[in-house]
Amino acid sequence: MVSRVRVWLNRTYAENVFFMDQLRRNPSDRAVEIHATHGDPDSPVLAAADTAELEPEDLSPAGYVEYALDQCARRGIDVFVPRLHQSAIVAHRAEFAAAGTALLAPPREAVAVFEDKVIAYEAVRSIGVPVPPWWRARTADELVAAVEELEAAGHRACFKPASGAGGVGFRVITRSPFSVAQLSGFPSPYVPLDLVLAALRRAEEPVDWLVMPRLEQPEVSVDCLTGPDNRVRLAVGRTKNGRRRGFTLHEQWLEPARRIAEGFGLHHLSNIQFRMFGDRPVLMDVNTRPAGGLHQLSLCGVNAPWAAVQLALGEDPGEIVPPFLGQDYTVVSGPRPLRPVSLPQQRPAVSGPLPAVPAPAGPAGETGAPGALPRQDLAASASHRTGPAA
Protein backbone atom coordinates (compact mmCIF):
# COMPACT_ATOMS: atom_id res chain seq x y z
CA MET A 1 0.00 0.00 0.00
CA VAL A 2 1.30 3.43 -0.91
CA SER A 3 1.65 5.58 2.19
CA ARG A 4 -0.22 8.82 2.61
CA VAL A 5 1.55 12.13 2.05
CA ARG A 6 1.56 14.62 4.92
CA VAL A 7 1.77 18.26 3.75
CA TRP A 8 2.07 21.39 5.92
CA LEU A 9 1.15 24.93 4.88
CA ASN A 10 2.19 27.64 7.34
CA ARG A 11 0.49 31.04 7.71
CA THR A 12 -0.56 31.16 4.08
CA TYR A 13 -3.14 33.05 2.05
CA ALA A 14 -6.82 32.20 2.36
CA GLU A 15 -6.84 31.32 -1.36
CA ASN A 16 -4.70 28.28 -0.63
CA VAL A 17 -7.78 26.37 0.50
CA PHE A 18 -7.95 25.60 -3.22
CA PHE A 19 -4.32 24.44 -3.23
CA MET A 20 -5.34 22.02 -0.47
CA ASP A 21 -8.41 20.86 -2.38
CA GLN A 22 -6.30 20.06 -5.43
CA LEU A 23 -3.82 18.04 -3.37
CA ARG A 24 -6.68 15.87 -2.16
CA ARG A 25 -8.11 15.48 -5.68
CA ASN A 26 -4.75 14.45 -7.08
CA PRO A 27 -4.69 12.40 -10.29
CA SER A 28 -2.42 9.78 -8.66
CA ASP A 29 -5.29 8.90 -6.29
CA ARG A 30 -2.80 9.23 -3.43
CA ALA A 31 -4.03 9.83 0.10
CA VAL A 32 -3.00 13.29 1.33
CA GLU A 33 -3.30 14.64 4.85
CA ILE A 34 -2.90 18.38 5.33
CA HIS A 35 -1.65 20.25 8.36
CA ALA A 36 -2.11 24.02 8.57
CA THR A 37 -0.96 26.69 10.99
CA HIS A 38 -1.90 30.34 11.11
CA GLY A 39 -1.97 33.34 13.43
CA ASP A 40 -5.65 33.99 12.72
CA PRO A 41 -8.06 31.44 14.22
CA ASP A 42 -10.62 32.39 11.57
CA SER A 43 -8.37 31.65 8.60
CA PRO A 44 -10.24 29.30 6.25
CA VAL A 45 -7.09 27.26 5.71
CA LEU A 46 -7.38 26.06 9.31
CA ALA A 47 -10.92 24.86 8.72
CA ALA A 48 -9.93 23.17 5.46
CA ALA A 49 -7.00 21.27 7.00
CA ASP A 50 -7.10 17.82 8.57
CA THR A 51 -5.11 19.07 11.56
CA ALA A 52 -4.47 22.68 12.55
CA GLU A 53 -2.76 24.80 15.17
CA LEU A 54 -2.48 28.47 15.98
CA GLU A 55 1.05 29.74 15.50
CA PRO A 56 2.87 31.43 18.37
CA GLU A 57 3.22 35.18 17.99
CA ASP A 58 6.35 37.34 18.09
CA LEU A 59 8.83 34.63 17.17
CA SER A 60 12.06 35.81 15.58
CA PRO A 61 12.96 34.15 12.26
CA ALA A 62 15.40 31.89 14.11
CA GLY A 63 12.75 31.07 16.71
CA TYR A 64 10.27 30.31 13.96
CA VAL A 65 12.71 27.85 12.36
CA GLU A 66 12.89 25.96 15.66
CA TYR A 67 9.11 25.97 15.86
CA ALA A 68 8.88 24.68 12.27
CA LEU A 69 11.38 21.88 12.86
CA ASP A 70 9.39 20.79 15.90
CA GLN A 71 6.15 20.81 13.87
CA CYS A 72 7.71 18.68 11.15
CA ALA A 73 9.10 16.13 13.58
CA ARG A 74 5.97 15.98 15.75
CA ARG A 75 3.51 15.88 12.86
CA GLY A 76 5.52 13.61 10.55
CA ILE A 77 5.50 16.18 7.76
CA ASP A 78 6.67 14.88 4.37
CA VAL A 79 6.42 18.18 2.45
CA PHE A 80 6.48 21.68 3.97
CA VAL A 81 5.23 24.62 1.87
CA PRO A 82 6.63 27.66 3.72
CA ARG A 83 5.34 31.18 3.15
CA LEU A 84 6.02 32.99 6.43
CA HIS A 85 9.79 33.28 7.09
CA GLN A 86 10.56 31.42 3.88
CA SER A 87 14.08 32.86 3.69
CA ALA A 88 15.03 31.70 7.20
CA ILE A 89 13.47 28.29 6.67
CA VAL A 90 15.24 27.45 3.40
CA ALA A 91 18.58 28.31 5.01
CA HIS A 92 18.03 25.22 7.20
CA ARG A 93 17.03 22.82 4.41
CA ALA A 94 19.46 20.14 5.58
CA GLU A 95 17.96 20.12 9.08
CA PHE A 96 14.46 19.69 7.65
CA ALA A 97 15.73 16.90 5.41
CA ALA A 98 17.23 15.18 8.46
CA ALA A 99 13.78 15.31 10.04
CA GLY A 100 12.32 13.63 6.94
CA THR A 101 10.74 16.80 5.51
CA ALA A 102 11.21 18.14 1.99
CA LEU A 103 10.84 21.90 1.52
CA LEU A 104 8.64 22.98 -1.37
CA ALA A 105 10.60 26.20 -1.85
CA PRO A 106 13.63 27.42 -3.83
CA PRO A 107 17.20 27.33 -2.49
CA ARG A 108 18.40 30.02 -0.14
CA GLU A 109 20.39 31.83 -2.84
CA ALA A 110 17.39 32.13 -5.16
CA VAL A 111 15.11 33.41 -2.41
CA ALA A 112 17.70 36.03 -1.42
CA VAL A 113 17.85 37.51 -4.94
CA PHE A 114 14.12 38.21 -5.02
CA GLU A 115 13.60 39.48 -1.47
CA ASP A 116 14.66 42.96 -2.57
CA LYS A 117 13.09 44.26 -5.80
CA VAL A 118 16.07 46.48 -6.61
CA ILE A 119 18.48 43.56 -6.40
CA ALA A 120 15.99 41.46 -8.36
CA TYR A 121 15.65 43.99 -11.17
CA GLU A 122 19.41 44.36 -11.48
CA ALA A 123 19.91 40.59 -11.51
CA VAL A 124 17.15 39.93 -14.04
CA ARG A 125 18.35 42.71 -16.34
CA SER A 126 21.80 41.11 -16.32
CA ILE A 127 20.41 37.98 -18.00
CA GLY A 128 18.62 39.95 -20.70
CA VAL A 129 15.06 40.12 -19.36
CA PRO A 130 13.55 43.61 -19.85
CA VAL A 131 12.67 45.57 -16.71
CA PRO A 132 10.98 48.98 -16.39
CA PRO A 133 12.97 52.07 -15.45
CA TRP A 134 13.13 52.40 -11.68
CA TRP A 135 14.54 54.53 -8.88
CA ARG A 136 15.06 53.74 -5.23
CA ALA A 137 13.68 56.38 -2.85
CA ARG A 138 14.39 56.58 0.86
CA THR A 139 13.87 60.33 1.31
CA ALA A 140 11.43 63.01 0.14
CA ASP A 141 14.07 64.54 -2.13
CA GLU A 142 14.78 61.19 -3.80
CA LEU A 143 11.07 60.65 -4.36
CA VAL A 144 10.63 64.10 -5.94
CA ALA A 145 13.62 63.57 -8.25
CA ALA A 146 12.25 60.22 -9.44
CA VAL A 147 8.72 61.53 -9.96
CA GLU A 148 9.91 64.56 -11.91
CA GLU A 149 12.08 62.43 -14.20
CA LEU A 150 9.22 60.03 -14.89
CA GLU A 151 6.73 62.82 -15.52
CA ALA A 152 9.18 64.59 -17.86
CA ALA A 153 9.26 61.41 -19.94
CA GLY A 154 5.46 61.35 -20.09
CA HIS A 155 4.86 58.63 -17.50
CA ARG A 156 2.65 58.46 -14.42
CA ALA A 157 4.79 57.69 -11.37
CA CYS A 158 3.97 55.05 -8.78
CA PHE A 159 5.79 53.48 -5.87
CA LYS A 160 5.77 50.32 -3.79
CA PRO A 161 7.97 48.84 -1.04
CA ALA A 162 11.31 47.53 -2.25
CA SER A 163 10.52 44.40 -0.22
CA GLY A 164 7.05 42.99 -0.01
CA ALA A 165 4.49 40.73 -1.64
CA GLY A 166 1.46 41.32 -3.79
CA GLY A 167 0.10 44.84 -4.09
CA VAL A 168 0.69 45.78 -0.46
CA GLY A 169 1.90 49.40 -0.26
CA PHE A 170 1.40 50.13 -3.97
CA ARG A 171 0.37 53.75 -4.69
CA VAL A 172 0.08 55.96 -7.78
CA ILE A 173 1.29 59.56 -7.54
CA THR A 174 -1.03 62.36 -8.61
CA ARG A 175 -0.50 66.13 -8.66
CA SER A 176 -4.20 66.78 -8.06
CA PRO A 177 -4.92 68.25 -4.61
CA PHE A 178 -6.80 66.13 -2.13
CA SER A 179 -10.51 66.86 -2.44
CA VAL A 180 -13.91 65.54 -1.47
CA ALA A 181 -13.94 63.65 -4.78
CA GLN A 182 -11.38 61.28 -3.25
CA LEU A 183 -13.78 60.57 -0.40
CA SER A 184 -16.44 59.26 -2.77
CA GLY A 185 -16.73 55.63 -3.76
CA PHE A 186 -14.12 53.06 -2.82
CA PRO A 187 -10.61 53.95 -1.59
CA SER A 188 -8.22 54.66 -4.44
CA PRO A 189 -4.51 53.86 -4.88
CA TYR A 190 -3.97 57.46 -6.08
CA VAL A 191 -2.25 59.74 -3.56
CA PRO A 192 -1.37 63.46 -3.96
CA LEU A 193 2.38 64.05 -4.07
CA ASP A 194 2.24 66.86 -1.52
CA LEU A 195 0.58 64.60 1.07
CA VAL A 196 3.16 61.85 0.48
CA LEU A 197 6.03 64.33 0.90
CA ALA A 198 4.50 65.76 4.08
CA ALA A 199 4.10 62.27 5.52
CA LEU A 200 7.69 61.39 4.60
CA ARG A 201 9.08 64.47 6.32
CA ARG A 202 7.12 63.69 9.48
CA ALA A 203 7.96 60.00 9.47
CA GLU A 204 10.00 58.62 12.34
CA GLU A 205 10.77 55.37 10.51
CA PRO A 206 12.70 55.26 7.22
CA VAL A 207 11.03 54.12 4.01
CA ASP A 208 12.50 52.06 1.20
CA TRP A 209 10.46 52.47 -1.98
CA LEU A 210 10.82 51.50 -5.59
CA VAL A 211 9.59 54.32 -7.85
CA MET A 212 8.68 53.44 -11.42
CA PRO A 213 6.22 54.21 -14.23
CA ARG A 214 2.68 52.93 -14.04
CA LEU A 215 2.70 49.84 -16.27
CA GLU A 216 -0.18 48.93 -18.55
CA GLN A 217 -2.36 45.87 -18.92
CA PRO A 218 -2.49 43.06 -19.70
CA GLU A 219 -0.88 41.67 -16.59
CA VAL A 220 0.43 38.15 -17.12
CA SER A 221 1.42 35.93 -14.20
CA VAL A 222 3.44 32.93 -15.33
CA ASP A 223 3.23 29.98 -12.94
CA CYS A 224 6.40 27.89 -13.17
CA LEU A 225 7.31 24.49 -11.79
CA THR A 226 11.08 23.99 -11.86
CA GLY A 227 13.07 20.93 -10.88
CA PRO A 228 16.27 20.75 -8.83
CA ASP A 229 18.09 20.37 -12.16
CA ASN A 230 16.98 23.96 -12.99
CA ARG A 231 14.74 22.71 -15.81
CA VAL A 232 11.20 24.08 -15.99
CA ARG A 233 8.56 21.33 -16.04
CA LEU A 234 5.52 23.61 -16.35
CA ALA A 235 5.00 27.22 -17.46
CA VAL A 236 1.53 28.67 -18.04
CA GLY A 237 0.58 32.34 -18.14
CA ARG A 238 -2.57 33.60 -16.46
CA THR A 239 -3.76 36.84 -18.04
CA LYS A 240 -5.61 39.67 -16.36
CA ASN A 241 -7.17 42.62 -18.14
CA GLY A 242 -9.75 44.34 -15.94
CA ARG A 243 -12.29 41.73 -14.85
CA ARG A 244 -11.38 39.38 -17.68
CA ARG A 245 -9.02 36.52 -16.86
CA GLY A 246 -7.60 33.92 -19.19
CA PHE A 247 -4.57 31.81 -20.06
CA THR A 248 -1.69 32.04 -22.52
CA LEU A 249 1.20 29.95 -23.78
CA HIS A 250 2.65 32.78 -25.89
CA GLU A 251 6.42 32.78 -25.80
CA GLN A 252 6.67 36.56 -25.28
CA TRP A 253 5.61 35.81 -21.69
CA LEU A 254 6.84 32.25 -21.17
CA GLU A 255 10.37 32.63 -22.58
CA PRO A 256 11.52 35.35 -20.12
CA ALA A 257 9.79 33.53 -17.26
CA ARG A 258 11.66 30.30 -18.07
CA ARG A 259 14.89 32.26 -18.35
CA ILE A 260 14.40 33.64 -14.84
CA ALA A 261 13.22 30.37 -13.28
CA GLU A 262 16.05 28.34 -14.79
CA GLY A 263 18.72 31.04 -14.54
CA PHE A 264 18.21 31.65 -10.83
CA GLY A 265 17.18 28.13 -9.79
CA LEU A 266 13.63 28.93 -8.69
CA HIS A 267 12.99 25.32 -7.76
CA HIS A 268 9.45 24.09 -7.20
CA LEU A 269 6.66 26.67 -7.61
CA SER A 270 7.25 30.30 -8.50
CA ASN A 271 5.16 33.05 -10.02
CA ILE A 272 6.70 35.58 -12.41
CA GLN A 273 4.64 38.64 -13.31
CA PHE A 274 4.85 40.90 -16.35
CA ARG A 275 3.09 44.02 -17.62
CA MET A 276 3.46 46.23 -20.66
CA PHE A 277 5.84 49.18 -20.85
CA GLY A 278 5.11 50.78 -24.19
CA ASP A 279 4.87 47.97 -26.71
CA ARG A 280 6.88 45.32 -24.86
CA PRO A 281 6.42 43.11 -21.79
CA VAL A 282 8.65 43.93 -18.81
CA LEU A 283 9.12 42.19 -15.51
CA MET A 284 6.93 43.44 -12.70
CA ASP A 285 7.60 41.01 -9.85
CA VAL A 286 8.90 37.55 -8.97
CA ASN A 287 7.33 35.49 -6.19
CA THR A 288 9.36 32.55 -4.87
CA ARG A 289 6.19 30.79 -3.69
CA PRO A 290 2.97 29.40 -5.15
CA ALA A 291 0.64 32.15 -6.34
CA GLY A 292 -2.75 32.56 -4.72
CA GLY A 293 -4.38 32.00 -8.12
CA LEU A 294 -2.41 28.84 -8.96
CA HIS A 295 -5.52 26.69 -8.61
CA GLN A 296 -7.03 28.45 -11.63
CA LEU A 297 -4.78 26.32 -13.85
CA SER A 298 -7.26 23.52 -13.14
CA LEU A 299 -9.36 25.15 -15.87
CA CYS A 300 -6.58 24.02 -18.23
CA GLY A 301 -6.63 20.45 -16.94
CA VAL A 302 -3.52 20.92 -14.80
CA ASN A 303 -3.04 20.07 -11.12
CA ALA A 304 0.09 22.11 -10.38
CA PRO A 305 0.07 21.68 -6.56
CA TRP A 306 0.20 17.90 -6.84
CA ALA A 307 2.93 17.99 -9.50
CA ALA A 308 4.96 20.21 -7.15
CA VAL A 309 4.52 17.80 -4.24
CA GLN A 310 5.60 14.92 -6.47
CA LEU A 311 8.72 16.86 -7.43
CA ALA A 312 9.49 17.65 -3.77
CA LEU A 313 9.22 13.93 -2.98
CA GLY A 314 11.67 13.08 -5.76
CA GLU A 315 8.95 11.75 -8.08
CA ASP A 316 9.61 13.73 -11.25
CA PRO A 317 6.29 14.39 -13.03
CA GLY A 318 8.12 15.16 -16.28
CA GLU A 319 7.21 17.99 -18.62
CA ILE A 320 3.63 19.12 -18.12
CA VAL A 321 1.80 20.66 -21.06
CA PRO A 322 -1.81 21.77 -20.55
CA PRO A 323 -4.07 19.57 -22.68
CA PHE A 324 -6.14 22.67 -23.44
CA LEU A 325 -6.47 26.31 -22.38
CA GLY A 326 -9.57 27.14 -20.40
CA GLN A 327 -12.03 29.76 -21.58
CA ASP A 328 -11.86 33.32 -20.26
CA TYR A 329 -13.39 33.76 -16.81
CA THR A 330 -13.77 36.12 -13.90
CA VAL A 331 -13.75 35.60 -10.13
CA VAL A 332 -16.54 36.38 -7.70
CA SER A 333 -16.86 35.97 -3.95
CA GLY A 334 -18.42 32.97 -2.28
CA PRO A 335 -18.73 31.42 1.20
CA ARG A 336 -16.17 29.16 2.82
CA PRO A 337 -16.74 27.40 6.19
CA LEU A 338 -14.70 28.23 9.27
CA ARG A 339 -14.00 26.15 12.37
CA PRO A 340 -16.96 26.34 14.75
CA VAL A 341 -14.83 26.29 17.91
CA SER A 342 -11.45 27.58 19.03
CA LEU A 343 -8.29 25.70 18.21
CA PRO A 344 -6.78 23.26 18.83
CA GLN A 345 -9.16 20.98 16.99
CA GLN A 346 -8.54 18.03 14.73
CA ARG A 347 -10.79 16.23 12.35
CA PRO A 348 -12.25 12.98 13.74
CA ALA A 349 -9.78 10.11 13.73
CA VAL A 350 -10.02 7.87 10.68
CA SER A 351 -9.09 4.22 10.88
CA GLY A 352 -6.92 3.01 8.03
CA PRO A 353 -5.55 5.17 5.24
CA LEU A 354 -7.14 8.50 4.53
CA PRO A 355 -9.35 8.68 1.43
CA ALA A 356 -7.75 10.29 -1.58
CA VAL A 357 -10.71 12.62 -2.16
CA PRO A 358 -12.07 13.73 1.24
CA ALA A 359 -13.17 17.20 0.09
CA PRO A 360 -16.86 18.02 0.71
CA ALA A 361 -19.33 17.60 -2.12
CA GLY A 362 -20.84 20.59 -3.90
CA PRO A 363 -24.41 21.82 -3.56
CA ALA A 364 -25.81 19.18 -5.91
CA GLY A 365 -23.55 16.43 -4.61
CA GLU A 366 -20.85 16.73 -7.30
CA THR A 367 -17.23 16.45 -6.26
CA GLY A 368 -15.43 17.10 -9.55
CA ALA A 369 -12.95 15.00 -11.46
CA PRO A 370 -9.40 14.42 -10.17
CA GLY A 371 -7.28 17.46 -10.91
CA ALA A 372 -10.33 19.64 -11.58
CA LEU A 373 -11.83 22.35 -9.44
CA PRO A 374 -15.61 22.61 -8.96
CA ARG A 375 -17.20 25.75 -10.34
CA GLN A 376 -18.30 26.87 -6.87
CA ASP A 377 -14.73 26.55 -5.56
CA LEU A 378 -13.39 28.75 -8.35
CA ALA A 379 -16.08 31.31 -7.61
CA ALA A 380 -14.90 31.53 -4.02
CA SER A 381 -11.49 32.77 -5.10
CA ALA A 382 -12.35 36.45 -5.41
CA SER A 383 -9.74 37.37 -2.83
CA HIS A 384 -7.02 36.03 -5.20
CA ARG A 385 -4.00 38.18 -4.42
CA THR A 386 -3.13 39.70 -7.73
CA GLY A 387 -3.19 43.11 -6.06
CA PRO A 388 -2.64 46.43 -7.81
CA ALA A 389 0.25 46.36 -10.23
CA ALA A 390 3.02 48.82 -10.85
Side-chain angles (χ1 to χ4, degrees), residues 277-329:
F277 181 60
D279 59 356
R280 66 172 183 169
V282 295
L283 179 71
M284 185 172 69
D285 208 354
V286 176
N287 296 308
T288 60
R289 52 167 175 76
L294 180 69
H295 64 279
Q296 293 163 6
L297 295 188
S298 65
L299 295 177
C300 301
V302 171
N303 189 326
W306 178 246
V309 166
Q310 286 182 293
L311 197 58
L313 293 172
E315 304 166 7
D316 195 332
E319 184 180 0
I320 302 170
V321 178
F324 53 87
L325 292 184
Q327 68 180 54
D328 286 1
Y329 63 101

Side-chain angles (χ1 to χ4, degrees), residues 183-206:
L183 300 177
S184 301
F186 293 102
S188 165
Y190 289 85
V191 291
L193 179 60
D194 59 334
L195 295 186
V196 177
L197 295 175
L200 272 178
R201 289 168 177 139
R202 292 194 306 268
E204 296 180 0
E205 298 292 328

Side-chain angles (χ1 to χ4, degrees), residues 9-381:
L9 285 80
N10 76 335
R11 204 174 296 206
T12 191
Y13 303 131
E15 295 84 358
N16 275 334
V17 294
F18 304 119
F19 187 104
M20 297 157 73
D21 289 345
Q22 285 195 283
L23 290 182
R24 293 189 176 109
R25 297 187 181 102
N26 68 79
S28 302
D29 202 30
R30 185 91 172 263
V32 175
E33 184 177 316
I34 298 173
H35 181 56
T37 59
H38 208 284
D40 178 4
D42 289 332
S43 169
V45 299
L46 298 180
D50 297 287
T51 61
E53 289 185 18
L54 281 175
E55 293 187 354
E57 296 295 335
D58 302 323
L59 286 179
S60 66
Y64 193 91
V65 169
E66 292 302 316
Y67 162 78
L69 284 166
D70 177 71
Q71 286 281 311
C72 290
R74 196 157 47 86
R75 294 286 185 175
I77 301 299
D78 298 302
V79 178
F80 177 21
V81 187
R83 190 200 67 81
L84 182 67
H85 293 312
Q86 184 192 66
S87 179
I89 288 165
V90 297
H92 294 266
R93 189 180 298 270
E95 293 170 54
F96 284 96
T101 300
L103 297 181
L104 203 157
R108 179 183 188 179
E109 297 77 13
V111 173
V113 170
F114 296 103
E115 281 186 306
D116 184 302
K117 291 180 173 60
V118 170
I119 294 173
Y121 277 18
E122 290 174 341
V124 166
R125 185 169 56 185
S126 74
I127 64 169
V129 174
V131 299
W134 52 268
W135 291 258
R136 193 166 204 157
R138 293 187 173 96
T139 67
D141 290 343
E142 289 176 343
L143 177 63
V144 169
V147 170
E148 288 180 346
E149 192 162 346
L150 281 165
E151 290 178 342
H155 303 299
R156 184 180 289 276
C158 62
F159 65 87
K160 58 186 177 182
S163 299
V168 176
F170 171 81
R171 298 293 187 273
V172 181
I173 293 288
T174 176
R175 296 281 188 166
S176 302
F178 187 80
S179 69
V180 71
Q182 289 167 285
L183 300 177
S184 301
F186 293 102
S188 165
Y190 289 85
V191 291
L193 179 60
D194 59 334
L195 295 186
V196 177
L197 295 175
L200 272 178
R201 289 168 177 139
R202 292 194 306 268
E204 296 180 0
E205 298 292 328
V207 301
D208 188 5
W209 290 339
L210 197 68
V211 187
M212 54 195 297
R214 178 70 188 264
L215 303 177
E216 301 302 323
Q217 292 185 330
E219 177 182 324
V220 177
S221 294
V222 182
D223 294 307
C224 292
L225 176 64
T226 307
D229 57 357
N230 293 345
R231 182 168 58 85
V232 169
R233 307 301 198 271
L234 168 71
V236 181
R238 289 183 288 110
T239 65
K240 179 182 177 183
N241 200 336
R243 277 186 175 272
R244 182 170 292 272
R245 312 291 178 93
F247 304 98
T248 180
L249 294 178
H250 198 293
E251 284 298 316
Q252 73 171 339
W253 311 105
L254 268 55
E255 189 277 331
R258 288 195 202 96
R259 198 185 308 177
I260 292 170
E262 294 179 346
F264 294 99
L266 292 178
H267 301 168
H268 305 294
L269 288 169
S270 60
N271 177 254
I272 303 171
Q273 301 172 355
F274 300 90
R275 273 203 174 209
M276 299 299 293
F277 181 60
D279 59 356
R280 66 172 183 169
V282 295
L283 179 71
M284 185 172 69
D285 208 354
V286 176
N287 296 308
T288 60
R289 52 167 175 76
L294 180 69
H295 64 279
Q296 293 163 6
L297 295 188
S298 65
L299 295 177
C300 301
V302 171
N303 189 326
W306 178 246
V309 166
Q310 286 182 293
L311 197 58
L313 293 172
E315 304 166 7
D316 195 332
E319 184 180 0
I320 302 170
V321 178
F324 53 87
L325 292 184
Q327 68 180 54
D328 286 1
Y329 63 101
T330 190
V331 290
V332 294
S333 62
R336 190 82 190 191
L338 298 179
R339 286 187 176 271
V341 295
S342 299
L343 292 173
Q345 175 182 332
Q346 316 301 335
R347 291 189 176 182
V350 179
S351 59
L354 289 174
V357 190
E366 69 272 14
T367 57
L373 203 62
R375 187 176 301 275
Q376 68 270 18
D377 278 2
L378 182 61
S381 67

